[in-house]
């Protein structure tokens, strides 16, 4: 009798464990069904990380105090490297300061900026930096010489130098959006949208990682590919006649035609529209993409690039194109929410990606 009771208890315990396992599996399946995994791909400096930062500001809790403390060093490093870049360019172009005293100050700053800890020590000679940034010769060189090749946010940090170098400096959200930091591997942002958990996976776009793009990810709900339109005249190191934009076209074509993404929605962000518009005025797109016949008209140029990427999309049914400026929070909010809604409904019959309205440009 005692043995029978013991067996019954064991059977009840086994059934309880089985039900618990079944419940856990059901919960995991329900959670998985409500999870949207978006793979963010694209070349270095295309603006992917900036878009990911925007999503954190729009849909997540923003940046923690600890992160802002870390970004203080990143912003100051951006300022230091930009200053050194300009001073090196001035020396290369034989545009030294005509005033011997100011030339000596510039040389002193350049020497200090070459140190590995320049971003930490730059506050020690901030008075000299302020004198340099206020000098007319420095500004005339920036405005007149296109060979400097400044990063998009350089002028912003130059204008904000006094604030950035103050002892009490804490980066603003906009400072963090503007800051450039080399990313390695995978960075993931998780947030909720209309009852779904969105996992935004930002993959490093360096050449050493490109080969891993198509191997490391499973169960991807959508691919978001970002390209900087203003890189149409940026020569690549690997190929003399190649440009960064042409490389992006090739990579985009590989992604769209890969069997792993045959039924996966693909979203294309043609980014940095403001920089693209400005560059068209001084650097003809036709000089690098001879098939283009539209001159410096920004709308025509954007349509041309849209069509070039659309052809590489290989007739994908769920293909969406958006023209973006990653540092414009309001614009990114509207575009990204539209993208998420499109991804969530991409299984609906007749869904396809429409060409953006030229009025947006």
């Amino acid at each position: 009798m005692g043995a029978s009771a013991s067996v019954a208890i064991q059977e009840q315990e086994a059934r309880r464990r089985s039900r618990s396992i079944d419940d856990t599996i059901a919960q995991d399946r329900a959670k998985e069904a409500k999870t949207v995994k978006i793979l963010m791909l694209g070349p270095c400096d295309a603006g992917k990380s900036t878009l990911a930062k925007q999503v954190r500001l729009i849909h997540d809790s923003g940046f923690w105090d600890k992160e802002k403390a870390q970004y203080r060093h990143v912003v100051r490093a951006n300022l230091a490297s930009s200053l050194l870049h300009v001073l090196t360019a001035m020396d290369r172009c034989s545009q030294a300061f005509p005033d011997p005293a100011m030339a000596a100050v510039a040389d002193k700053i350049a020497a200090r900026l070459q140190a590995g800890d320049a971003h930490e020590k730059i506050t020690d000679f901030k008075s000299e930096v302020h004198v340099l940034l206020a000098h007319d010769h420095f500004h005339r060189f920036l405005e007149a010489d296109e060979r400097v090749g400044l990063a998009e946010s350089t002028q912003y940090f130059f204008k904000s130098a006094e604030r950035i170098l103050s002892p009490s400096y804490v980066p603003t959200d906009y400072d963090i959006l503007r800051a450039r930091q080399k990313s390695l591997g995978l960075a993931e942002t998780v947030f909720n949208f209309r009852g779904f958990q969105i996992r935004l996976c930002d993959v490093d776009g360096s050449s050493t990682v490109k080969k891993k793009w198509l191997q490391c990810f499973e169960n991807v709900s959508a691919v978001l590919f970002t390209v900087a339109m203003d890189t149409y005249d940026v020569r690549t190191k690997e190929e003399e006649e190649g440009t960064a934009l042409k490389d992006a076209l090739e990579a985009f074509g590989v992604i769209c035609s890969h069997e792993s993404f045959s039924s996966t929605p693909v979203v294309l962000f043609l980014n940095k529209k403001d920089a693209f518009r400005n560059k068209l005025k001084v650097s003809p797109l036709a000089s690098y993409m001879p098939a283009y016949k539209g001159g410096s008209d920004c709308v025509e140029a954007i349509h041309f690039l849209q069509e070039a990427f659309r052809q590489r999309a290989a007739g994908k049914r769920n293909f969406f194109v958006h023209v973006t400026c990653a540092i414009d929070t309001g614009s990114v909010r509207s575009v990204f929410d539209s993208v998420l809604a499109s991804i969530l409904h991409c299984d609906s019959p007749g869904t396809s990606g429409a060409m953006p309205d030229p009025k947006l440009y």
Side-chain angles (χ1 to χ4, degrees), residues 50 58 72 135 148 200 257 293 331:
T50 304
I58 295 168
R72 177 167 58 242
H135 202 281
V148 179
L200 198 63
S257 61
K293 308 298 181 183
S331 173

Side-chain angles (χ1 to χ4, degrees), residues 3-4 81 114 123 174 233 291:
S4 298
S81 62
Q114 291 176 26
T123 54
Y174 197 63
D233 64 349

